[in-house]
């Protein structure tokens, strides 16, 4: 797996470490990134289900109006 080196504000990383309950800066950032990705996947799943439901409603024949 490829590794990436970045610099971050130390106060930011310490706050993440405290909130995530982890002891190393590396683990803290990995937790944040993994959580962000998981949220994205959950959002995609909810959006897909909603869109699928809307397509099904649109596909049903409608009663003539007027």
């Amino acid at each position: 797996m490829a590794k990436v080196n970045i610099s971050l504000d130390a106060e930011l990383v310490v706050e993440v470490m405290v909130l995530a309950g982890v002891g190393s800066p590396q683990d803290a950032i990995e937790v944040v990134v993994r959580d962000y990705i998981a949220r994205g996947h959950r959002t995609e799943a909810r959006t897909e289900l909603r869109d699928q439901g809307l397509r099904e409603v649109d596909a049903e024949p409608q009663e003539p109006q007027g």
Side-chain angles (χ1 to χ4, degrees):
M1 177 187 328
K3 300 285 182 178
V4 176
N5 291 318
I6 58 172
S7 60
L8 296 170
D9 181 356
E11 290 181 21
L12 199 73
V13 175
V14 169
E15 188 167 349
V16 171
M17 289 172 62
V18 170
L19 290 172
V22 296
S24 80
Q26 176 75 32
D27 291 344
I29 300 309
E30 285 186 14
V31 166
V32 170
V33 172
R34 290 181 192 282
D35 181 62
Y36 183 81
I37 291 169
R39 287 180 188 210
H41 289 305
R42 289 191 303 266
T43 299
E44 287 174 0
R46 283 194 308 263
T47 303
E48 183 178 330
L49 288 175
R50 187 191 73 208
D51 289 348
Q52 183 179 8
L54 291 174
R55 280 192 295 272
E56 290 171 0
V57 168
D58 288 343
E60 294 176 6
Q62 295 182 357
E63 296 287 326
Q65 296 179 358

